[in-house]
Amino acid sequence: MKCSTALRLKIPSTLAAIEQLCERARLWLEANGLHEDWFVFMLLLRESLNNAVKHGNGSDPSLLVDCWLRKGLRWLYISVGDCGAGFDWGRFSTHQACYGDTCGRGLEIYRLYADKVIFNRRGNRVLLRLEMRKGKDSGLNSNRAE
Amino acid sequence: MASIQIEQNETRAVVRLNEPLTSAFAAELRPRLQEVVATGTTQLAIDLSSVDLVDSAGIGLLIAARNSLAKVGGTMRIIGVSAEIQHLFKVMRLDRHFQIEGIQGVGSPS
């Protein structure tokens, strides 16, 4: 059976809906034979969904989060958008949580694990790109990780 | 199997998790960890042997538990950590907050 290389879903802004979407994404990854990319892909997907649900839509279940996933020839793509006012993505490149902070690490995970991160002008949609592992040693973005 | 298993003996406790430590589960786990610390635990081990993913919400919860323990002079270890999660913890500098032990024991993945 041929599997789709793209998946698009819209969910209400709840933690339960994130879990359901991630289960769909897991099945999509399996159907596309992307077992080696599972950890990094799911980590980035969850971070982007958390940001959209909590910070973008303020956990308001009436507001939707729009998510699409795509497998290209070399890259995997995650795009997540919300209905919020957006955020100041200019601080993306430098933001780092301080010692003891219990939040504020999502953007750093983008930087460490995605090969490319693009925000729309308003700052309420992110596109994350990661290279498929297949034979590579590490799923971590070696240019930025250490 | 329950998502959270807690063995508590006076000042020592081991909390075993059986689900990915992500935002939804972190919300469920938070009050259980608060209870463990509030009832006198000063040496806490969190066992991630059955956990295949931790996101920033899970990381935040682990740091919050460590912060609570530090206030009462306690310490925390994370044990049974997979190579991928251990790598995540390392690049997020969590080894400055608590001792991290891989599935094979103390140390970093190659």
Side-chain angles (χ1 to χ4, degrees):
Chain A
M1 188 174 69
K2 187 178 178 184
C3 59
S4 173
T5 56
L7 179 67
R8 185 165 190 173
L9 297 164
K10 291 187 180 185
I11 60 167
S13 298
T14 66
L15 297 181
I18 290 178
E19 295 304 312
Q20 290 168 5
L21 191 154
C22 287
E23 177 59 16
R24 291 280 303 275
R26 187 184 65 79
L27 296 172
W28 178 79
L29 284 175
E30 283 182 6
N32 279 283
L34 298 168
H35 312 285
E36 291 177 74
D37 300 289
W38 181 88
F39 181 84
V40 174
F41 188 90
M42 294 306 289
L43 178 63
L44 289 171
L45 177 61
R46 282 186 175 276
E47 293 305 332
S48 53
L49 292 171
N50 285 343
N51 284 337
V53 164
K54 293 180 190 173
H55 305 300
N57 288 346
S59 299
D60 179 346
S62 69
L63 299 177
L64 294 180
V65 170
D66 178 32
C67 172
W68 63 257
L69 315 174
R70 188 164 68 83
K71 176 192 173 192
L73 292 176
R74 182 180 171 190
W75 311 95
L76 292 173
Y77 300 89
I78 298 168
S79 178
V80 174
D82 59 64
C83 306
F87 85 109
D88 176 14
W89 48 266
R91 63 189 172 90
F92 165 71
S93 60
T94 56
H95 177 79
Q96 190 175 87
C98 295
Y99 184 85
D101 283 355
T102 57
C103 59
R105 288 177 171 77
L107 293 180
E108 197 173 347
I109 288 176
Y110 285 176
R111 268 204 317 271
L112 290 168
Y113 280 92
D115 293 293
K116 195 164 200 174
V117 183
I118 300 171
F119 295 98
N120 65 354
R121 184 181 295 271
R122 183 169 153 189
N124 67 346
R125 175 170 285 278
V126 66
L127 173 66
L128 304 169
R129 187 186 79 176
L130 61 149
E131 190 172 15
M132 282 185 270
R133 286 182 71 170
K134 287 186 179 173
K136 295 184 181 300
D137 292 333
S138 169
L140 194 63
N141 175 1
S142 56
N143 291 329
R144 298 172 182 166
E146 294 172 317
Chain B
M1 186 184 295
S3 301
I4 305 166
Q5 294 173 292
I6 299 174
E7 289 176 21
Q8 203 166 359
N9 183 3
E10 297 182 351
T11 59
R12 293 174 183 236
V14 177
V15 178
R16 291 191 178 83
L17 308 181
N18 298 305
E19 278 191 32
L21 185 47
T22 54
S23 50
F25 184 44
E28 179 187 341
L29 177 60
R30 183 179 301 275
R32 302 291 301 277
L33 287 181
Q34 287 171 339
E35 186 183 345
V36 167
V37 176
T39 50
T41 294
T42 55
Q43 295 179 65
L44 174 63
I46 297 185
D47 186 346
L48 301 185
S49 302
S50 301
V51 173
D52 57 10
L53 189 70
V54 178
D55 69 4
S56 63
I59 288 172
L61 178 58
L62 294 176
I63 293 174
R66 176 262 172 203
N67 290 347
S68 298
L69 277 167
K71 287 178 185 170
V72 295
T75 58
M76 187 167 110
R77 291 185 303 143
I78 310 292
I79 61 176
V81 186
S82 72
E84 284 170 314
I85 295 174
Q86 204 170 352
H87 204 175
L88 171 66
F89 285 177
K90 183 181 174 188
V91 296
M92 297 300 289
R93 306 170 302 283
L94 298 191
D95 50 353
R96 293 164 52 196
H97 292 79
F98 31 70
Q99 186 177 336
I100 298 166
E101 298 178 17
I103 289 172
Q104 304 296 326
V106 181
S108 299
S110 59

Short mmCIF file of all heavy atoms in Angstrom, two decimals, chain B residues 49-101:
data_model
loop_
_atom_site.label_atom_id
_atom_site.label_comp_id
_atom_site.label_asym_id
_atom_site.label_seq_id
_atom_site.Cartn_x
_atom_site.Cartn_y
_atom_site.Cartn_z
N SER B 49 14.05 4.30 32.64
CA SER B 49 14.34 3.10 31.83
C SER B 49 13.26 2.81 30.80
O SER B 49 13.55 2.26 29.74
CB SER B 49 14.47 1.88 32.73
OG SER B 49 15.46 2.06 33.68
N SER B 50 12.02 3.18 31.10
CA SER B 50 10.91 2.90 30.18
C SER B 50 10.43 4.15 29.45
O SER B 50 9.32 4.18 28.93
CB SER B 50 9.74 2.28 30.96
OG SER B 50 10.14 1.09 31.58
N VAL B 51 11.26 5.16 29.46
CA VAL B 51 10.88 6.44 28.83
C VAL B 51 11.71 6.65 27.56
O VAL B 51 12.94 6.58 27.61
CB VAL B 51 11.11 7.61 29.82
CG1 VAL B 51 10.88 8.95 29.15
CG2 VAL B 51 10.18 7.45 31.03
N ASP B 52 11.04 6.88 26.44
CA ASP B 52 11.79 7.03 25.18
C ASP B 52 11.85 8.48 24.70
O ASP B 52 12.50 8.76 23.69
CB ASP B 52 11.21 6.13 24.09
CG ASP B 52 9.74 6.38 23.83
OD1 ASP B 52 9.19 7.37 24.35
OD2 ASP B 52 9.12 5.57 23.13
N LEU B 53 11.17 9.40 25.39
CA LEU B 53 11.21 10.80 24.95
C LEU B 53 10.96 11.73 26.14
O LEU B 53 10.11 11.44 26.99
CB LEU B 53 10.14 11.05 23.88
CG LEU B 53 10.19 12.41 23.17
CD1 LEU B 53 11.40 12.51 22.26
CD2 LEU B 53 8.93 12.64 22.33
N VAL B 54 11.71 12.81 26.20
CA VAL B 54 11.49 13.87 27.20
C VAL B 54 11.50 15.19 26.43
O VAL B 54 12.41 15.44 25.66
CB VAL B 54 12.61 13.88 28.26
CG1 VAL B 54 12.41 15.02 29.25
CG2 VAL B 54 12.69 12.55 29.00
N ASP B 55 10.48 16.02 26.63
CA ASP B 55 10.47 17.32 25.95
C ASP B 55 10.79 18.43 26.95
O ASP B 55 11.12 18.17 28.11
CB ASP B 55 9.15 17.55 25.20
CG ASP B 55 7.96 17.76 26.13
OD1 ASP B 55 8.15 17.80 27.36
OD2 ASP B 55 6.83 17.88 25.62
N SER B 56 10.68 19.69 26.52
CA SER B 56 11.08 20.80 27.39
C SER B 56 10.18 20.90 28.62
O SER B 56 10.62 21.34 29.68
CB SER B 56 11.08 22.11 26.62
OG SER B 56 9.79 22.44 26.16
N ALA B 57 8.91 20.47 28.50
CA ALA B 57 8.02 20.48 29.67
C ALA B 57 8.51 19.45 30.70
O ALA B 57 8.50 19.71 31.91
CB ALA B 57 6.58 20.17 29.25
N GLY B 58 8.94 18.30 30.21
CA GLY B 58 9.49 17.27 31.11
C GLY B 58 10.78 17.74 31.74
O GLY B 58 11.01 17.53 32.95
N ILE B 59 11.64 18.38 30.95
CA ILE B 59 12.89 18.92 31.49
C ILE B 59 12.58 19.94 32.58
O ILE B 59 13.19 19.94 33.66
CB ILE B 59 13.73 19.56 30.36
CG1 ILE B 59 14.31 18.47 29.45
CG2 ILE B 59 14.85 20.42 30.93
CD1 ILE B 59 14.99 19.01 28.20
N GLY B 60 11.60 20.81 32.33
CA GLY B 60 11.22 21.82 33.32
C GLY B 60 10.76 21.20 34.62
O GLY B 60 11.09 21.68 35.71
N LEU B 61 10.01 20.10 34.50
CA LEU B 61 9.52 19.44 35.70
C LEU B 61 10.68 18.82 36.50
O LEU B 61 10.70 18.90 37.74
CB LEU B 61 8.50 18.35 35.32
CG LEU B 61 7.94 17.54 36.48
CD1 LEU B 61 7.25 18.46 37.50
CD2 LEU B 61 6.97 16.49 35.98
N LEU B 62 11.63 18.22 35.80
CA LEU B 62 12.79 17.64 36.50
C LEU B 62 13.58 18.72 37.23
O LEU B 62 14.00 18.52 38.38
CB LEU B 62 13.69 16.90 35.50
CG LEU B 62 13.09 15.66 34.83
CD1 LEU B 62 14.06 15.10 33.79
CD2 LEU B 62 12.72 14.59 35.85
N ILE B 63 13.73 19.87 36.60
CA ILE B 63 14.47 20.96 37.25
C ILE B 63 13.68 21.50 38.43
O ILE B 63 14.24 21.81 39.49
CB ILE B 63 14.79 22.07 36.23
CG1 ILE B 63 15.80 21.54 35.21
CG2 ILE B 63 15.35 23.32 36.92
CD1 ILE B 63 16.09 22.49 34.07
N ALA B 64 12.35 21.58 38.30
CA ALA B 64 11.52 22.04 39.42
C ALA B 64 11.66 21.10 40.62
O ALA B 64 11.75 21.55 41.78
CB ALA B 64 10.06 22.13 38.98
N ALA B 65 11.68 19.80 40.35
CA ALA B 65 11.84 18.82 41.44
C ALA B 65 13.20 18.99 42.10
O ALA B 65 13.33 18.96 43.34
CB ALA B 65 11.68 17.40 40.89
N ARG B 66 14.21 19.18 41.27
CA ARG B 66 15.56 19.39 41.80
C ARG B 66 15.62 20.68 42.64
O ARG B 66 16.23 20.71 43.70
CB ARG B 66 16.55 19.42 40.65
CG ARG B 66 17.98 19.72 41.03
CD ARG B 66 18.26 21.17 40.80
NE ARG B 66 19.56 21.56 41.32
CZ ARG B 66 19.86 22.81 41.66
NH1 ARG B 66 18.96 23.77 41.53
NH2 ARG B 66 21.03 23.12 42.12
N ASN B 67 14.96 21.74 42.17
CA ASN B 67 14.94 23.00 42.92
C ASN B 67 14.28 22.81 44.29
O ASN B 67 14.75 23.33 45.30
CB ASN B 67 14.19 24.07 42.13
CG ASN B 67 14.95 24.53 40.89
OD1 ASN B 67 16.13 24.25 40.74
ND2 ASN B 67 14.26 25.24 40.01
N SER B 68 13.17 22.06 44.31
CA SER B 68 12.46 21.80 45.58
C SER B 68 13.33 21.01 46.54
O SER B 68 13.37 21.29 47.74
CB SER B 68 11.16 21.03 45.31
OG SER B 68 10.31 21.78 44.49
N LEU B 69 14.03 20.01 46.00
CA LEU B 69 14.90 19.19 46.85
C LEU B 69 16.07 20.02 47.39
O LEU B 69 16.47 19.86 48.55
CB LEU B 69 15.46 18.01 46.05
CG LEU B 69 14.54 16.80 45.96
CD1 LEU B 69 15.07 15.84 44.90
CD2 LEU B 69 14.43 16.10 47.30
N ALA B 70 16.61 20.89 46.55
CA ALA B 70 17.76 21.71 46.98
C ALA B 70 17.40 22.58 48.18
O ALA B 70 18.23 22.82 49.05
CB ALA B 70 18.24 22.57 45.81
N LYS B 71 16.13 23.01 48.23
CA LYS B 71 15.70 23.86 49.35
C LYS B 71 15.74 23.13 50.68
O LYS B 71 15.83 23.76 51.74
CB LYS B 71 14.27 24.37 49.09
CG LYS B 71 14.21 25.44 48.02
CD LYS B 71 12.77 25.87 47.78
CE LYS B 71 12.70 26.85 46.62
NZ LYS B 71 11.32 27.11 46.19
N VAL B 72 15.63 21.79 50.64
CA VAL B 72 15.67 21.02 51.89
C VAL B 72 16.99 20.24 52.00
O VAL B 72 17.09 19.28 52.77
CB VAL B 72 14.46 20.07 52.01
CG1 VAL B 72 13.17 20.86 52.12
CG2 VAL B 72 14.39 19.09 50.83
N GLY B 73 17.97 20.64 51.20
CA GLY B 73 19.27 19.99 51.26
C GLY B 73 19.31 18.63 50.61
O GLY B 73 20.23 17.84 50.88
N GLY B 74 18.36 18.35 49.76
CA GLY B 74 18.29 17.03 49.12
C GLY B 74 19.01 16.97 47.79
O GLY B 74 19.48 17.99 47.26
N THR B 75 19.09 15.77 47.24
CA THR B 75 19.75 15.57 45.95
C THR B 75 18.87 14.69 45.06
O THR B 75 18.01 13.95 45.54
CB THR B 75 21.12 14.87 46.11
OG1 THR B 75 20.91 13.62 46.78
CG2 THR B 75 22.09 15.73 46.89
N MET B 76 19.14 14.78 43.76
CA MET B 76 18.33 14.01 42.80
C MET B 76 19.23 13.37 41.76
O MET B 76 20.21 13.98 41.31
CB MET B 76 17.34 14.96 42.12
CG MET B 76 16.34 14.28 41.24
SD MET B 76 15.02 15.44 40.79
CE MET B 76 15.37 15.68 39.08
N ARG B 77 18.89 12.14 41.39
CA ARG B 77 19.58 11.45 40.29
C ARG B 77 18.55 11.05 39.26
O ARG B 77 17.41 10.72 39.58
CB ARG B 77 20.24 10.15 40.80
CG ARG B 77 21.41 10.34 41.73
CD ARG B 77 22.05 8.99 42.06
NE ARG B 77 21.08 8.06 42.65
CZ ARG B 77 21.04 6.74 42.40
NH1 ARG B 77 21.89 6.19 41.57
NH2 ARG B 77 20.15 5.98 43.00
N ILE B 78 18.98 11.07 37.99
CA ILE B 78 18.14 10.54 36.92
C ILE B 78 18.82 9.27 36.44
O ILE B 78 19.99 9.32 36.02
CB ILE B 78 18.01 11.54 35.74
CG1 ILE B 78 17.63 12.93 36.24
CG2 ILE B 78 16.98 11.04 34.73
CD1 ILE B 78 16.27 13.06 36.82
N ILE B 79 18.14 8.15 36.46
CA ILE B 79 18.78 6.88 36.14
C ILE B 79 18.07 6.19 34.97
O ILE B 79 16.93 6.52 34.64
CB ILE B 79 18.82 5.95 37.38
CG1 ILE B 79 17.40 5.63 37.87
CG2 ILE B 79 19.62 6.60 38.51
CD1 ILE B 79 17.36 4.64 39.04
N GLY B 80 18.77 5.24 34.36
CA GLY B 80 18.19 4.47 33.26
C GLY B 80 17.90 5.31 32.03
O GLY B 80 16.92 5.09 31.32
N VAL B 81 18.79 6.26 31.75
CA VAL B 81 18.54 7.22 30.68
C VAL B 81 19.06 6.67 29.34
O VAL B 81 20.22 6.23 29.26
CB VAL B 81 19.24 8.57 30.98
CG1 VAL B 81 18.87 9.61 29.94
CG2 VAL B 81 18.84 9.06 32.37
N SER B 82 18.22 6.69 28.31
CA SER B 82 18.64 6.19 26.99
C SER B 82 19.71 7.11 26.41
O SER B 82 19.87 8.26 26.83
CB SER B 82 17.45 6.14 26.04
OG SER B 82 17.07 7.46 25.66
N ALA B 83 20.44 6.61 25.41
CA ALA B 83 21.52 7.40 24.82
C ALA B 83 21.00 8.70 24.22
O ALA B 83 21.63 9.76 24.38
CB ALA B 83 22.22 6.57 23.74
N GLU B 84 19.84 8.65 23.57
CA GLU B 84 19.33 9.87 22.93
C GLU B 84 18.88 10.91 23.96
O GLU B 84 19.13 12.11 23.80
CB GLU B 84 18.18 9.51 21.98
CG GLU B 84 18.69 8.88 20.69
CD GLU B 84 17.59 8.30 19.85
OE1 GLU B 84 16.73 7.60 20.41
OE2 GLU B 84 17.60 8.53 18.63
N ILE B 85 18.24 10.45 25.03
CA ILE B 85 17.82 11.39 26.07
C ILE B 85 19.04 11.91 26.83
O ILE B 85 19.11 13.09 27.20
CB ILE B 85 16.80 10.73 27.02
CG1 ILE B 85 15.51 10.41 26.25
CG2 ILE B 85 16.49 11.63 28.20
CD1 ILE B 85 14.48 9.63 27.03
N GLN B 86 20.02 11.03 27.03
CA GLN B 86 21.24 11.46 27.71
C GLN B 86 21.93 12.57 26.90
O GLN B 86 22.44 13.54 27.46
CB GLN B 86 22.17 10.26 27.87
CG GLN B 86 23.15 10.41 29.01
CD GLN B 86 23.89 9.13 29.32
OE1 GLN B 86 23.55 8.07 28.79
NE2 GLN B 86 24.88 9.20 30.16
N HIS B 87 21.93 12.41 25.60
CA HIS B 87 22.52 13.42 24.72
C HIS B 87 21.74 14.74 24.84
O HIS B 87 22.33 15.83 24.94
CB HIS B 87 22.49 12.91 23.28
CG HIS B 87 23.54 13.54 22.41
ND1 HIS B 87 23.77 13.16 21.13
CD2 HIS B 87 24.41 14.55 22.65
CE1 HIS B 87 24.75 13.88 20.62
NE2 HIS B 87 25.15 14.73 21.52
N LEU B 88 20.41 14.64 24.84
CA LEU B 88 19.58 15.83 25.01
C LEU B 88 19.90 16.54 26.33
O LEU B 88 20.09 17.77 26.37
CB LEU B 88 18.09 15.44 24.98
CG LEU B 88 17.09 16.53 25.34
CD1 LEU B 88 17.08 17.65 24.31
CD2 LEU B 88 15.68 15.94 25.47
N PHE B 89 19.98 15.76 27.41
CA PHE B 89 20.28 16.35 28.72
C PHE B 89 21.64 17.03 28.71
O PHE B 89 21.83 18.08 29.32
CB PHE B 89 20.24 15.27 29.80
CG PHE B 89 18.85 14.83 30.18
CD1 PHE B 89 18.67 13.81 31.10
CD2 PHE B 89 17.73 15.42 29.63
CE1 PHE B 89 17.39 13.40 31.47
CE2 PHE B 89 16.45 15.02 29.99
CZ PHE B 89 16.29 14.00 30.91
N LYS B 90 22.59 16.41 28.03
CA LYS B 90 23.94 16.97 28.01
C LYS B 90 23.96 18.31 27.26
O LYS B 90 24.52 19.29 27.77
CB LYS B 90 24.90 15.99 27.34
CG LYS B 90 26.34 16.45 27.34
CD LYS B 90 27.22 15.43 26.64
CE LYS B 90 28.65 15.97 26.51
NZ LYS B 90 29.48 15.09 25.67
N VAL B 91 23.36 18.34 26.08
CA VAL B 91 23.42 19.60 25.32
C VAL B 91 22.54 20.68 25.95
O VAL B 91 22.75 21.88 25.71
CB VAL B 91 23.05 19.39 23.82
CG1 VAL B 91 24.05 18.48 23.15
CG2 VAL B 91 21.63 18.89 23.64
N MET B 92 21.57 20.27 26.78
CA MET B 92 20.76 21.25 27.51
C MET B 92 21.37 21.57 28.88
O MET B 92 20.75 22.23 29.70
CB MET B 92 19.33 20.73 27.70
CG MET B 92 18.58 20.49 26.38
SD MET B 92 18.40 21.97 25.37
CE MET B 92 17.23 22.91 26.32
N ARG B 93 22.57 21.07 29.12
CA ARG B 93 23.36 21.38 30.32
C ARG B 93 22.70 20.90 31.61
O ARG B 93 22.89 21.45 32.68
CB ARG B 93 23.64 22.89 30.41
CG ARG B 93 24.29 23.46 29.16
CD ARG B 93 24.35 24.97 29.18
NE ARG B 93 23.05 25.61 29.32
CZ ARG B 93 22.17 25.73 28.33
NH1 ARG B 93 22.45 25.25 27.12
NH2 ARG B 93 21.00 26.30 28.53
N LEU B 94 21.90 19.86 31.53
CA LEU B 94 21.22 19.38 32.74
C LEU B 94 22.17 18.64 33.68
O LEU B 94 21.84 18.42 34.84
CB LEU B 94 20.04 18.47 32.37
CG LEU B 94 18.93 19.12 31.57
CD1 LEU B 94 17.72 18.22 31.50
CD2 LEU B 94 18.53 20.46 32.16
N ASP B 95 23.34 18.27 33.16
CA ASP B 95 24.30 17.60 34.03
C ASP B 95 24.82 18.56 35.11
O ASP B 95 25.47 18.14 36.05
CB ASP B 95 25.45 16.99 33.22
CG ASP B 95 26.07 17.97 32.23
OD1 ASP B 95 25.53 19.10 32.07
OD2 ASP B 95 27.08 17.62 31.62
N ARG B 96 24.51 19.86 34.97
CA ARG B 96 24.86 20.81 36.03
C ARG B 96 23.82 20.78 37.15
O ARG B 96 24.05 21.28 38.25
CB ARG B 96 24.92 22.23 35.46
CG ARG B 96 26.07 22.43 34.47
CD ARG B 96 25.87 23.69 33.64
NE ARG B 96 25.62 24.87 34.46
CZ ARG B 96 25.12 26.02 34.00
NH1 ARG B 96 24.81 26.14 32.73
NH2 ARG B 96 24.91 27.03 34.80
N HIS B 97 22.66 20.22 36.88
CA HIS B 97 21.57 20.23 37.86
C HIS B 97 21.50 18.93 38.68
O HIS B 97 21.15 18.95 39.85
CB HIS B 97 20.22 20.41 37.16
CG HIS B 97 20.05 21.76 36.54
ND1 HIS B 97 20.61 22.10 35.33
CD2 HIS B 97 19.37 22.85 36.95
CE1 HIS B 97 20.27 23.35 35.04
NE2 HIS B 97 19.53 23.83 36.00
N PHE B 98 21.77 17.83 38.03
CA PHE B 98 21.68 16.56 38.76
C PHE B 98 22.53 15.50 38.07
O PHE B 98 22.93 15.64 36.92
CB PHE B 98 20.23 16.07 38.89
CG PHE B 98 19.33 16.45 37.76
CD1 PHE B 98 19.49 15.88 36.50
CD2 PHE B 98 18.31 17.37 37.94
CE1 PHE B 98 18.64 16.22 35.46
CE2 PHE B 98 17.48 17.73 36.90
CZ PHE B 98 17.64 17.17 35.67
N GLN B 99 22.77 14.43 38.83
CA GLN B 99 23.54 13.31 38.30
C GLN B 99 22.70 12.54 37.31
O GLN B 99 21.54 12.24 37.57
CB GLN B 99 23.98 12.41 39.45
CG GLN B 99 24.92 11.29 39.04
CD GLN B 99 25.36 10.48 40.24
OE1 GLN B 99 25.36 10.96 41.37
NE2 GLN B 99 25.73 9.23 39.98
N ILE B 100 23.29 12.21 36.16
CA ILE B 100 22.57 11.50 35.11
C ILE B 100 23.28 10.19 34.84
O ILE B 100 24.48 10.17 34.57
CB ILE B 100 22.52 12.36 33.82
CG1 ILE B 100 21.76 13.67 34.10
CG2 ILE B 100 21.86 11.59 32.68
CD1 ILE B 100 21.94 14.73 33.02
N GLU B 101 22.52 9.10 34.94
CA GLU B 101 23.11 7.78 34.71
C GLU B 101 22.40 7.11 33.55
O GLU B 101 21.17 6.99 33.54
CB GLU B 101 22.97 6.92 35.97
CG GLU B 101 23.71 7.51 37.17
CD GLU B 101 23.53 6.68 38.43
OE1 GLU B 101 23.12 5.51 38.31
OE2 GLU B 101 23.77 7.22 39.51
#
